[in-house]
Amino acid sequence: MTFLRLLSRTKLYWGLAALFAIGVAFSPVTSKGRNIFLTSGNLSDVLRQVSITGLVAVGMTMVILIGGIDLSVGSILALGTVLAALLLTQPGLTVAAGIALPVTFLVAMVGVALIVSFVSGQLGMGRSVATATSIRHDRRRSALSAIWLPLVAGIVVAGLLTLWLASQAGSQFGMPGVLIAVSCVGLAVGALNGAIIVSGRLQPFIVTLAMMVTMLGLARLVAGQDSAVVAVYSGTNATTDIDLLRAVLWGVLPVPGLFFLAALALFMVVLKFTAFGRYVYAIGGNEEATRLSGIAVTPVKIATYAFSGMLACIAGVLYVAQYRQGKPDAGVGLELDAIAAVVIGGTSLMGGRGSLAGTLVGVLIFGLLTNILQLHNISTNVQLVMKGLIIILTVLLQERNLGQIFASLKTSPQAEAQDEKTYNKLEETP
């Protein structure tokens, strides 16, 4: 492997290392001569600041890997912030509870039914039949394990979960209940995105754009026409356990960052070591060939969009915990930040190529750049310009490897003159 090829394959990590070195070299110092950039508090703030965009970017990576796009994640996050804030602050069967409880029941029922059906199918593999009586018994057992058992299990578990959540509606929801209920709403909206795309054979751009507008309007309706912000104060209008989601563990690891890293690790395992992950890459590489090979493309695409919506709503709950408010416009522009982080991380917008490790690097590059500029009190407008330039340069490096770029730079004037002479001779030839 040549040096240029190795450099081309690791260029993203070298970029992150170079940016970190710049942050260290040009960091302001305290009165005691301590480097501010390297302080644990500053680095912890970087992880906290990128956690919300990072969670959304994890779901966006999987969507882009299958050759899709999800423009609705910002509005789904905004809906999640409004639902979380209202569930935390308003007791009783409010509009937020009226949305969250039925959706939670439906999602839990379908999810448990699918899990039980899969497990019973795996346990039933390899059974042999020898007589007509055993065939009839097997048919009854098959109907029981394929339909009735998953359905009953789903209804029972979903019913118990919904009753537990409904018992909190009389006073105030705690953070565990809010996380479960709001995540289920995001899962349902994401699954609806995927179902419309695959059933209607529509472009993901159009479907998710329509869903973005729809969810933004729904968030505003749920929040109320006269309330642009739903304030959340722990210990007064909300339970004190909301502070757990904004705590810093061991003085260095913020809980939002822990959510981001946990989601990243979980879905890295899913993409790398499970059949679902292999199907995601296969669909992004060539969807028609994947379908012809016998892989069920439809459920994989629906699940991918569902995961994206779920992660966006979890990010919405973390937003409420950090900023102590729910806002219908909290996620404006977030989908573009997530897409930019994914692209910077090396994931191809055509699908089938990329990784969550690259997404982590892309998210950290954005976070470190923002932090460095803020430490030097650089204008927000200048920050936007620099981010745009970084996106362009990164995509240029991804589309053309370093060997090609250096080869083009090495083109001599003599070679250019020779090419021009050859072109002129061809033009003169009758």
Side-chain angles (χ1 to χ4, degrees), residues 72 75-76 78-79 189 192 210-220 328:
S72 65
S75 295
I76 294 175
L79 177 63
V189 175
L192 181 60
M211 189 64 71
M212 176 181 72
V213 177
T214 304
M215 290 300 105
L216 178 61
L218 181 60
R220 290 176 176 174

Side-chain angles (χ1 to χ4, degrees), residues 36 117 143 163 168 177 191 203 206 218 230 242 276 301 325 348 368 385 388:
I36 296 178
S117 178
L163 285 175
Q168 301 181 44
Q203 289 294 327
I206 300 300
L218 181 60
V230 182
I242 186 177
F276 177 84
K301 296 184 74 171
Q325 61 182 6
S348 172
L368 289 176
V385 171

Side-chain angles (χ1 to χ4, degrees), residues 182-429:
V182 176
S183 298
C184 287
V185 172
L187 194 73
V189 175
L192 181 60
N193 265 336
I196 295 174
I197 290 169
V198 297
S199 63
R201 297 183 179 181
L202 301 175
Q203 289 294 327
F205 181 91
I206 300 300
V207 174
T208 57
L209 178 64
M211 189 64 71
M212 176 181 72
V213 177
T214 304
M215 290 300 105
L216 178 61
L218 181 60
R220 290 176 176 174
L221 289 173
V222 173
Q225 296 292 337
D226 300 328
S227 176
V229 175
V230 182
V232 179
Y233 301 105
S234 60
T236 55
N237 67 347
T239 55
T240 56
D241 59 357
I242 186 177
D243 289 332
L244 296 176
L245 293 185
R246 60 196 312 270
V248 179
L249 303 179
W250 309 293
V252 293
L253 181 60
V255 172
L258 182 62
F259 271 78
F260 168 44
L261 295 177
L264 188 78
L266 173 63
F267 286 103
M268 282 179 69
V269 171
V270 169
L271 288 177
K272 191 169 184 179
F273 298 107
T274 67
F276 177 84
R278 292 191 292 272
Y279 295 163
V280 167
Y281 281 99
I283 293 171
N286 192 323
E287 181 175 339
E288 188 62 26
T290 304
R291 181 179 287 107
L292 293 175
S293 65
I295 295 174
V297 172
T298 295
V300 174
K301 296 184 74 171
I302 293 177
T304 302
Y305 281 95
F307 289 142
S308 178
M310 179 189 71
L311 290 172
C313 266
I314 293 176
V317 178
L318 296 178
Y319 180 96
V320 172
Q322 288 190 65
Y323 300 105
R324 300 183 183 275
Q325 61 182 6
K327 293 174 60 179
D329 60 347
V332 173
L334 182 64
E335 61 280 347
L336 301 181
D337 290 341
I339 293 172
V342 173
V343 172
I344 286 177
T347 300
S348 172
L349 287 173
M350 303 301 293
R353 179 170 59 88
S355 68
L356 284 172
T359 298
L360 172 62
V361 175
V363 170
L364 290 178
I365 285 176
F366 261 157
L368 289 176
L369 176 63
T370 301
N371 181 256
I372 292 170
L373 296 176
Q374 288 176 346
L375 287 177
H376 291 84
N377 296 320
I378 303 299
S379 168
T380 305
N381 296 327
V382 176
Q383 294 182 32
L384 293 175
V385 171
M386 295 188 67
K387 286 181 180 180
L389 292 176
I390 286 179
I391 293 173
I392 294 173
L393 292 174
T394 304
V395 174
L396 176 63
L397 288 174
Q398 288 171 3
E399 296 301 323
R400 299 180 64 196
N401 62 49
L402 293 180
Q404 292 175 331
I405 293 176
F406 283 124
S408 64
L409 293 176
K410 289 180 179 179
T411 302
S412 62
Q414 293 81 4
E416 291 181 355
Q418 184 63 36
D419 291 339
E420 186 176 355
K421 289 180 181 179
T422 304
Y423 177 77
N424 292 333
K425 288 181 180 180
L426 291 175
E427 287 289 321
E428 294 172 358
T429 302

